[in-house]
Amino acid sequence: MFSRLKKVLDKIKDLNTSVDTYKKETDNQVIPSLAYVNRARKLIDKMRYAEAKKVLGEALEITRKDALIYKYMGVVDEKLGNYSEAESDYVQSAALNPQDKNIWHKLGLVQITLKKFQDAELSFEQANKIAPVNTDIQTGWGMSLLKQKKYDHAHEKFLNAIKINRYNFAAMLLAAICEVRLGKYDDAEHKLAFLINAAPNESSTYEFANLYFLKENYESAIRYAKQSIDFNSNMLPSYLLLGKIYSMEFDYENSTKYFEIAKERGLINPLLYTEWGNALVRLCRFEEAKEMYQKVLLDDTENFEAQCGMALCAAETKDFEKAYNFIKFASEKNIDSLFLQEAKGVSAYAYGDIKKAVELFKKALKNEPKSVYNYYRLAKCYQSLENDEMTRDSYDKMLKFNPRCMLANLDYAKYLIERKDYKNAHRKLEKAVKLDPNNQEILNLLFYTSYILVKENVCEYNVKEALSLASKITKFEYPELRAELEGLLKDINK
């Protein structure tokens, strides 16, 4: 005890060595620890946080009953990223001076950082008791509620913050986010439009893009998402949104482009690969999607979205044992998702339970009308059930929503050839070859249907067109039919 007392006396003596310096550091000559606090504050302003922490540590050797020391120790620990220590500092400061609203406010914010949202809510509630008309406290309180998905209550706090200070743009943005979650799109649009004009930044433009996405105005969503990236090239949510939108428009090139840019910028985390995988599934690129989900599961084995995605991709790539394992694992955890329903449907179809597959694909479409690839799956089911009307209807719906799907065009054409509907088959093959110009199967079938149609309506032009097509096919499968057309051409030119 004597040793500690001596240290305290020595520090007080050190402070008294320069009266002028001491006066500059504090107006209160009674509290020597305040000089240390003020020294630390100056160091904090200069971003010399380690030095500031050392000075505050020295102040604690003088007294452990000064709330200011702990308050600024908390500030320093926050700056250094020591959030748990900062929380402890603020708790001690609040215990010594429970009437300081700023301490409770800082405590609440650091608890949000630590994801202790209920604790943060209590801290802001305490701050509000001390200062019931404070825009920052209302904003922080709203944030703690927003993180708990208590959108109505959070919205109320943000509106209170705006009433206190109409220039609190952070509260306005957060209020708009709540309104989006609550489905109050018009109110959200009004606030976001104001922010875009008054104080545009990466957050407001992203939220505007997301709002337009939810309203299915994809053109505007793309425009504002790109603006968000212009403000901040590391704005990962904007890259994910762009990748998602382009995949929904069946634009593989642009969708992949934005995921690749995010990867190149080092914005790599499970969310990036999950959304990338989801986009590839929409684009029917199941092998590529599988690779993305594998990356996610390497970092996060419990990621249920990646597990369900893997179940579907495994089923689509005919790895049914792996699909079964993922389906079983997800089912045991009572996980339900669109991908899981589709995986079960694909597996049921593969094992001949066609009616069960139809039921699952219809359920998937009911739950998510934009999952249009299920129309293709239904077409294959109805084809197996020999239901011509529903087969055609399902293929037509698939191609109405996604005319870029080469596989649907090709398989529909093959089905129509089986039904001897050569004209319509030829039309589908012409669309398919535009999507995959060097696909030898498509080119051969296109020649075959051309041959059939030429035989039905023989004329020099049609014969020459069919022969011209045959000459472009590398792996030609109908030499006898070409020879027949060559004979026809000779007869025509006699």
Side-chain angles (χ1 to χ4, degrees):
M1 181 180 292
F2 177 78
S3 175
R4 184 174 178 278
L5 181 60
K6 185 175 184 303
K7 285 182 180 179
V8 172
L9 292 172
D10 287 343
K11 289 186 181 298
I12 295 172
K13 184 178 179 181
D14 289 341
L15 283 173
N16 289 326
T17 57
S18 174
V19 176
D20 291 338
T21 302
Y22 187 84
K23 286 181 177 179
K24 288 178 182 177
E25 290 173 343
T26 177
D27 293 329
N28 189 334
Q29 310 301 312
V30 180
I31 309 174
S33 61
L34 186 57
Y36 281 89
V37 171
N38 285 338
R39 284 181 183 174
R41 288 172 62 181
K42 290 174 182 178
L43 291 167
I44 291 169
D45 290 340
K46 295 175 182 177
M47 295 186 289
R48 293 159 62 180
Y49 304 124
E51 294 174 62
K53 185 166 185 174
K54 183 179 178 182
V55 170
L56 291 167
E58 292 172 354
L60 285 174
E61 291 184 20
I62 296 174
T63 177
R64 293 185 177 273
K65 300 295 183 181
D66 189 337
L68 273 181
I69 300 174
Y70 289 107
K71 181 176 180 177
Y72 285 100
M73 187 69 88
V75 171
V76 169
D77 278 324
E78 269 198 85
K79 296 293 185 182
L80 293 171
N82 304 326
Y83 299 112
S84 293
E85 292 179 33
E87 181 190 24
S88 177
D89 297 330
Y90 290 138
V91 166
Q92 291 188 70
S93 183
L96 291 167
N97 184 10
Q99 294 306 308
D100 186 341
K101 68 179 188 300
N102 293 324
I103 295 174
W104 292 106
H105 179 253
K106 288 180 178 296
L107 176 58
L109 291 177
V110 81
Q111 285 168 333
I112 288 175
T113 302
L114 291 167
K115 299 183 179 180
K116 297 182 176 182
F117 305 125
Q118 292 182 343
D119 290 343
E121 184 182 344
L122 294 173
S123 295
F124 290 118
E125 186 175 355
Q126 186 62 36
N128 184 63
K129 290 177 182 177
I130 301 164
V133 185
N134 183 289
T135 190
D136 293 331
I137 291 170
Q138 293 294 319
T139 303
W141 199 353
M143 287 168 63
S144 66
L145 293 162
L146 176 60
K147 292 293 187 178
Q148 296 176 73
K149 299 183 179 180
K150 299 177 180 179
Y151 300 124
D152 280 317
H153 292 154
H155 185 237
E156 178 188 342
K157 302 304 176 190
F158 295 135
L159 291 184
N160 288 342
I162 297 167
K163 286 176 185 176
I164 297 166
N165 178 6
R166 61 189 179 128
Y167 297 109
N168 187 336
F169 295 150
M172 190 174 294
L173 176 63
L174 292 166
I177 291 172
C178 286
E179 286 161 356
V180 170
R181 302 289 191 277
L182 293 166
K184 299 178 179 181
Y185 292 163
D186 290 342
D187 291 342
E189 185 169 1
H190 178 75
K191 290 180 178 63
L192 290 169
F194 173 80
L195 289 172
I196 292 293
N197 290 319
N201 58 31
E202 68 268 29
S203 298
S204 58
T205 46
Y206 165 73
E207 293 298 340
F208 215 13
N210 187 53
L211 175 60
Y212 276 122
F213 168 74
L214 293 171
K215 295 176 77 170
E216 300 187 11
N217 183 342
Y218 298 142
E219 183 179 348
S220 295
I222 288 170
R223 183 170 74 253
Y224 284 106
K226 288 179 178 178
Q227 282 187 25
S228 175
I229 291 170
D230 288 339
F231 281 112
N232 181 357
S233 59
N234 290 326
M235 190 67 177
L236 178 60
S238 296
Y239 289 111
L240 300 184
L241 184 60
L242 286 165
K244 183 175 184 178
I245 293 171
Y246 280 119
S247 73
M248 293 175 71
E249 294 185 337
F250 311 108
D251 186 339
Y252 173 79
E253 185 177 337
N254 273 314
S255 179
T256 303
K257 169 186 169 182
Y258 284 100
F259 289 118
E260 287 284 3
I261 293 172
K263 180 182 175 183
E264 288 168 8
R265 296 203 64 81
L267 307 175
I268 298 171
N269 61 28
L271 183 59
L272 170 64
Y273 288 121
T274 301
E275 288 298 329
W276 201 340
N278 293 347
L280 288 165
V281 166
R282 291 186 205 100
L283 293 159
C284 313
R285 304 270 186 149
F286 299 109
E287 284 287 359
E288 293 174 61
K290 189 190 293 185
E291 292 177 16
M292 297 304 163
Y293 293 132
Q294 285 171 340
K295 291 178 188 292
V296 177
L297 294 172
L298 282 173
D299 286 339
D300 182 6
T301 56
E302 297 297 312
N303 189 304
F304 78 90
E305 195 169 357
Q307 290 169 354
C308 295
M310 278 294 289
L312 175 57
C313 291
E316 284 286 359
T317 54
K318 304 189 186 310
D319 188 349
F320 294 109
E321 184 178 351
K322 181 178 284 189
Y324 172 79
N325 289 335
F326 276 108
I327 290 169
K328 182 182 178 184
F329 183 76
S331 298
E332 286 174 352
K333 297 174 72 175
N334 293 319
I335 293 171
D336 193 19
S337 78
L338 174 69
F339 289 169
L340 200 59
Q341 289 171 14
E342 292 173 327
K344 291 176 180 177
V346 174
S347 299
Y349 173 79
Y351 288 109
D353 193 348
I354 310 301
K355 290 183 179 179
K356 180 65 174 177
V358 168
E359 178 186 327
L360 286 163
F361 296 144
K362 283 184 172 180
K363 181 182 178 182
L365 276 165
K366 183 178 179 181
N367 292 339
E368 179 46 76
K370 293 187 184 299
S371 61
V372 297
Y373 195 67
N374 287 303
Y375 287 118
Y376 169 77
R377 296 179 176 125
L378 282 170
K380 302 297 285 185
C381 289
Y382 288 125
Q383 196 170 336
S384 297
L385 294 170
E386 299 183 356
N387 186 329
D388 179 61
E389 181 182 354
M390 292 304 297
T391 299
R392 290 174 185 258
D393 180 70
S394 298
Y395 273 127
D396 286 338
K397 284 177 178 174
M398 172 64 194
L399 293 172
K400 174 186 174 183
F401 291 112
N402 182 8
R404 296 186 187 185
C405 184
M406 183 279 291
L407 187 60
N409 278 293
L410 174 58
D411 282 0
Y412 196 3
K414 289 160 76 172
Y415 174 73
L416 292 169
I417 289 170
E418 289 177 11
R419 308 296 296 183
K420 302 189 186 310
D421 187 350
Y422 298 112
K423 285 185 179 179
N424 281 323
H426 191 75
R427 292 190 190 101
K428 303 305 175 192
L429 289 166
E430 285 181 323
K431 291 177 180 177
V433 80
K434 288 178 181 177
L435 296 165
D436 193 355
N438 296 314
N439 187 303
Q440 297 299 298
E441 182 181 15
I442 297 172
L443 289 168
N444 274 290
L445 288 173
L446 192 58
F447 170 79
Y448 177 74
T449 54
S450 297
Y451 164 81
I452 298 291
L453 295 172
V454 165
K455 293 295 296 286
E456 291 178 358
N457 182 20
V458 177
C459 72
E460 184 178 2
Y461 176 81
N462 289 342
V463 174
K464 285 183 175 179
E465 283 292 303
L467 289 171
S468 175
L469 175 62
S471 68
K472 298 174 184 176
I473 301 173
T474 305
K475 298 177 181 178
F476 190 61
E477 297 176 1
Y478 300 100
E480 71 285 357
L481 300 184
R482 177 169 58 188
E484 185 179 343
L485 290 179
E486 289 170 343
L488 274 175
L489 186 60
K490 288 179 182 177
D491 291 339
I492 291 169
N493 291 327
K494 283 182 180 179

